[in-house]
């Protein structure tokens, strides 16, 4: 069969003979109306189980995702510290930058198994906490 365009299909050969009755696809004979109903029940049960399994897998956080989140949080804290530094160097009010830093510092920190990354993140958290303490001390003096 050859498709030549929007007009439809044309047969390049003569019509083909029909296959013998036993050579094609056929459904097994079932004992009445119970066959399709049981197939539908099996289908819906397996789809529910499949959805449950997918939801369970989405809830599990692997080590690479925890590491990625920890690195993202550390990078965000460093960005907030840079914003604060630039605001202070430009003689601007650093209150908005301090608020963003405090908000980033309050974010939950994912547990990290890698000792090196944990050490770096501890140093970043400490530096952010020092900046917050310095800002509070300056506010108390004023």
């Amino acid at each position: 069969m050859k498709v030549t365009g929007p007009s439809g299909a044309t047969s390049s050969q003569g019509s083909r003979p029909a296959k013998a009755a036993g050579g094609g696809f056929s459904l097994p004979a079932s004992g009445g109306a119970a066959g399709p109903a049981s197939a539908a029940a099996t289908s819906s049960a397996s789809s529910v189980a499949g959805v449950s399994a997918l939801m369970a897998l989405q809830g599990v956080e692997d080590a690479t995702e925890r590491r990625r989140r920890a690195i993202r949080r550390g990078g965000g804290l460093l960005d907030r510290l840079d914003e604060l530094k630039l605001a202070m160097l430009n003689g601007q009010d650093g209150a908005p930058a301090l608020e963003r830093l405090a908000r980033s510092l309050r974010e939950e920190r994912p547990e990290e198994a890698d000792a090196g990354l944990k050490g770096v993140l501890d140093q970043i958290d400490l530096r952010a906490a020092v900046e917050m303490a310095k800002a509070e001390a300056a506010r108390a003096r004023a």
Side-chain angles (χ1 to χ4, degrees):
M1 179 163 291
K2 181 178 177 184
V3 177
T4 59
S7 62
T10 60
S11 177
S12 59
Q13 298 176 351
S15 64
R16 295 183 184 168
K19 290 190 175 191
F25 177 77
S26 66
L27 292 173
S30 62
S38 66
T42 303
S43 173
S44 68
S46 66
S47 66
V48 169
V51 169
S52 296
L54 284 175
M55 290 178 71
L57 283 174
Q58 288 176 345
V60 175
E61 185 178 62
D62 63 345
T64 57
E65 182 59 30
R66 279 193 307 271
R67 180 180 172 84
R68 195 174 297 132
R69 281 191 331 126
I71 291 171
R72 191 177 319 128
R73 180 182 179 274
L77 281 171
L78 289 174
D79 290 344
R80 302 297 87 75
L81 286 167
D82 279 343
E83 288 174 8
L84 180 62
K85 177 181 73 173
L86 289 174
M88 294 172 88
L89 287 174
N90 289 330
Q92 300 171 347
D93 181 29
L98 276 170
E99 178 58 35
R100 286 189 296 273
L101 178 63
R103 200 173 27 239
S104 294
L105 196 55
R106 285 188 302 261
E107 287 179 5
E108 181 183 350
R109 179 174 165 181
E111 291 298 318
E112 181 54 46
D114 182 14
L117 179 58
K118 185 179 182 320
V120 169
L121 293 174
D122 287 342
Q123 291 176 7
I124 293 170
D125 283 354
L126 177 64
R127 184 65 205 165
V130 166
E131 290 301 324
M132 294 300 300
K134 284 173 36 180
E136 297 230 356
R139 243 186 270 153
R141 280 183 277 160

